[in-house]
C-alpha cells in the first residue's frame, strides 16, 4: 500500500503545496504545542490543543508529499498517512487514532471519558516536525 494507492482509491487527492502553506501549518502546530502546556487550562483543552498541533504536523507531512486527504475520513487518513510520510511506527499511529476518538467527543459531553495526558505530545511532535 502507498499514498498513490490511496489516491487511486479516492482517499487522497494530489495537492501542490507551497513553502508558505507548510510554514503556516508548522506555525499552528508550534503555537498549539506551546499552548497545550498552559497550566490553567483544563486537561480536556490541553489534550484537544495538543491533538490539533499533532494533526497539523501530520497534515504538513502529507502536503509535503504532494497530497491532501479527502473530506470523508479526513483526520483518519491524515493520521494513517504518517506511516508513508514520516515512517511513524504502527503503534504510535494506533495511539494517535485512539486520540482522534477522544478529540471527537470533547465537545459532545460534559461527562466525556478522561483524556490521555497531553504532556508527551509536544516531545513526540517535535520529532515529527524536524522529520517533516
Amino acid at each position: 500500500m502507498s499514498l498513490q494507492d490511496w489516491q487511486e482509491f479516492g482517499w487522497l487527492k494530489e495537492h501542490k503545496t507551497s513553502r508558505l502553506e507548510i510554514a503556516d501549518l508548522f506555525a499552528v502546530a508550534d503555537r498549539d504545542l506551546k499552548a497545550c502546556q498552559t497550566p490553567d487550562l483544563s486537561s480536556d483543552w490541553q489534550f484537544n490543543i495538543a491533538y490539533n498541533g499533532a494533526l497539523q504536523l501530520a497534515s504538513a507531512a502529507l502536503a509535503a508529499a504532494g497530497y491532501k486527504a479527502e473530506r470523508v475520513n479526513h483526520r483518519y487518513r491524515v493520521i494513517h498517512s504518517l506511516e508513508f510520510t514520516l515512517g511513524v511506527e504502527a503503534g504510535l499511529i494506533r495511539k494517535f487514532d485512539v486520540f482522534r476518538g477522544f478529540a471527537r467527543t470533547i465537545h459532545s459531553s460534559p461527562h466525556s471519558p478522561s483524556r490521555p495526558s497531553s504532556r508527551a505530545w509536544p516531545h513526540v511532535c517535535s520529532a515529527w516536525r524536524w522529520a517533516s
Side-chain angles (χ1 to χ4, degrees):
M1 189 70 66
S2 68
L3 293 177
Q4 188 170 358
D5 292 331
W6 285 21
Q7 181 187 6
E8 290 173 13
F9 295 147
W11 301 340
L12 300 177
K13 59 184 171 184
E14 281 188 54
H15 177 68
K16 183 172 171 61
T17 191
S18 67
R19 288 179 185 239
L20 179 59
E21 178 186 15
I22 299 296
D24 286 348
L25 289 166
F26 278 174
V28 171
D30 290 344
R31 178 203 66 199
D32 287 354
L33 295 173
K34 182 178 178 185
C36 76
Q37 298 176 63
T38 303
D40 293 339
L41 288 177
S42 72
S43 60
D44 277 358
W45 277 113
Q46 286 178 326
F47 169 82
N48 198 46
I49 293 168
Y51 169 82
N52 189 63
L55 193 63
Q56 297 308 310
L57 289 175
S59 295
L62 187 57
Y67 295 96
K68 193 170 196 170
E70 290 289 352
R71 294 181 66 96
V72 175
N73 295 318
H74 177 84
R75 290 180 179 171
Y76 176 89
R77 300 287 177 224
V78 169
I79 291 167
H80 285 266
S81 72
L82 287 165
E83 174 188 357
F84 307 110
T85 57
L86 299 180
V88 173
E89 63 184 44
L92 188 54
I93 290 172
R94 280 192 302 274
K95 184 180 285 191
F96 194 1
D97 196 40
V98 167
F99 291 173
R100 178 177 60 94
F102 287 134
R104 258 197 332 248
T105 62
I106 198 164
H107 299 293
S108 63
S109 170
H111 306 292
S112 54
S114 61
R115 308 282 182 269
S117 171
S118 61
R119 291 185 185 148
W121 277 106
H123 304 293
V124 169
C125 293
S126 67
W128 292 354
R129 188 189 192 298
W130 294 114
S132 298

